[in-house]
Amino acid sequence: SAVISQKPSRDICQRGTSLTIQCQVDSQVTMMFWYRQQPGQSLTLIATANQGSEATYESGFVIDKFPISRPNLTFSTLTVSNMSPEDSSIYLCSVSPGGSNQPQHFGDGTRLSIL
Amino acid sequence: AQSVTQLGSHVSVSEGALVLLRCNYSSSVPPYLFWYVQYPNQGLQLLLKYTTGATLVKGINGFEAEFKKSETSFHLTKPSAHMSDAAEYFCAVSESGGSNYKLTFGKGTLLTVNP
């Protein structure tokens, strides 16, 4: 399976600031996704990162808060904007070759704390 | 819409005992089903998947799961627990067919293994 690298692995940020998380894959993949995992909770899909076009956001998530880029088939970024303590979560990138029968493979996540 | 219910947010077993983690799903179309494991400070790792064919699927680390359509269940089992199995386990479902690659996760079950 693909090797997925996420950076940074963790960060502590001040409220009102923004942080960009990078996701790099060692091979070209069709689908890339961004998830949020709040403390003690399950994973919630933020958006699907589409190569060469705008991301597709899930209900409750908006582009102004979570802008996403995907310039090519191996790289994507998620920015968490104007952060507040409620944004303290683990943010995970996942990839899939496409097809709902294909499993998604996850990076190790970015552990974000907002003071 | 699809949903996943994991009964028991916390399961505790003794080393060497049977592990049984429960997962029930609802889906309007035949589902694809996945189990993931999350070790502390790591991302999610795929344990096993069911797409089509044999309803008893074997995964890594001695785990297996059986798809029971009549019971809408996909319970995860392991005959003999090992200390290294202590982790959070997530059941997930995606819909077969179409272009909907979205994974819906259960809330997770934390497995504790006692010596």
Side-chain angles (χ1 to χ4, degrees), chain A residues 6-23 34-35 46 57 62-69 75-84 87-92 109-115:
Chain A
Q6 260 188 258
K7 291 181 181 180
S9 59
R10 61 179 66 243
D11 208 340
I12 301 173
C13 299
Q14 298 294 322
R15 68 175 67 201
T17 63
S18 299
L19 178 75
T20 296
I21 303 167
Q22 298 180 0
C23 179
W34 286 98
Y35 288 84
I46 298 171
Y57 289 84
V62 295
I63 188 171
D64 289 347
K65 177 66 175 177
F66 297 101
I68 288 170
S69 77
F75 186 77
S76 178
T77 66
L78 168 74
T79 299
V80 186
S81 302
N82 189 24
M83 290 184 285
S84 66
D87 294 319
S88 296
S89 294
I90 303 172
Y91 292 88
L92 295 123
T110 296
R111 283 145 184 83
L112 183 58
S113 297
I114 315 303
L115 301 179

Side-chain angles (χ1 to χ4, degrees), chain A residues 10 31 33 35 37 41-43 45 58 90 92 98-109 111, chain B residues 32 34 36 38 40-44 46 49 51 90 94-97 100-103 105-108:
Chain A
R10 61 179 66 243
M31 310 293 293
F33 306 89
Y35 288 84
Q37 186 179 20
Q41 302 295 315
S42 186
L43 281 76
L45 181 64
E58 296 299 305
I90 303 172
L92 295 123
S100 54
N101 61 339
Q102 297 296 322
Q104 293 180 22
H105 297 281
F106 288 80
D108 280 344
R111 283 145 184 83
Chain B
Y32 296 137
F34 308 87
Y36 287 87
Q38 186 177 34
N41 296 313
Q42 294 187 25
L44 274 68
L46 179 70
K49 67 175 183 177
T51 54
F90 293 95
S94 69
E95 292 185 358
S96 61
N100 185 356
Y101 305 141
K102 181 177 168 180
L103 271 182
F105 285 86
K107 292 189 174 183

Side-chain angles (χ1 to χ4, degrees), chain B:
Chain B
Q2 50 198 2
S3 65
V4 178
T5 302
Q6 290 184 240
L7 289 175
S9 60
H10 188 191
V11 170
S12 181
V13 301
S14 298
E15 191 173 19
L18 171 71
V19 175
L20 171 60
L21 305 182
R22 300 178 186 274
C23 173
N24 289 88
Y25 69 89
S26 68
S27 178
S28 57
V29 298
Y32 296 137
L33 296 156
F34 308 87
W35 274 100
Y36 287 87
V37 60
Q38 186 177 34
Y39 298 102
N41 296 313
Q42 294 187 25
L44 274 68
Q45 180 182 4
L46 179 70
L47 276 177
L48 49 77
K49 67 175 183 177
Y50 169 79
T51 54
T52 59
T55 56
L56 180 64
V57 293
K58 296 185 184 299
I60 62 172
N61 302 338
F63 284 94
E64 62 183 36
E66 186 171 11
F67 170 60
K68 292 187 176 181
K69 184 178 179 180
S70 61
E71 299 178 7
T72 61
S73 70
F74 190 56
H75 301 331
L76 182 71
T77 60
K78 182 173 180 178
S80 177
H82 192 272
M83 296 294 289
S84 61
D85 295 326
E88 184 107 31
Y89 292 79
F90 293 95
C91 181
V93 61
S94 69
E95 292 185 358
S96 61
S99 58
N100 185 356
Y101 305 141
K102 181 177 168 180
L103 271 182
T104 300
F105 285 86
K107 292 189 174 183
T109 298
L110 179 65
L111 176 66
T112 302
V113 182
N114 304 307

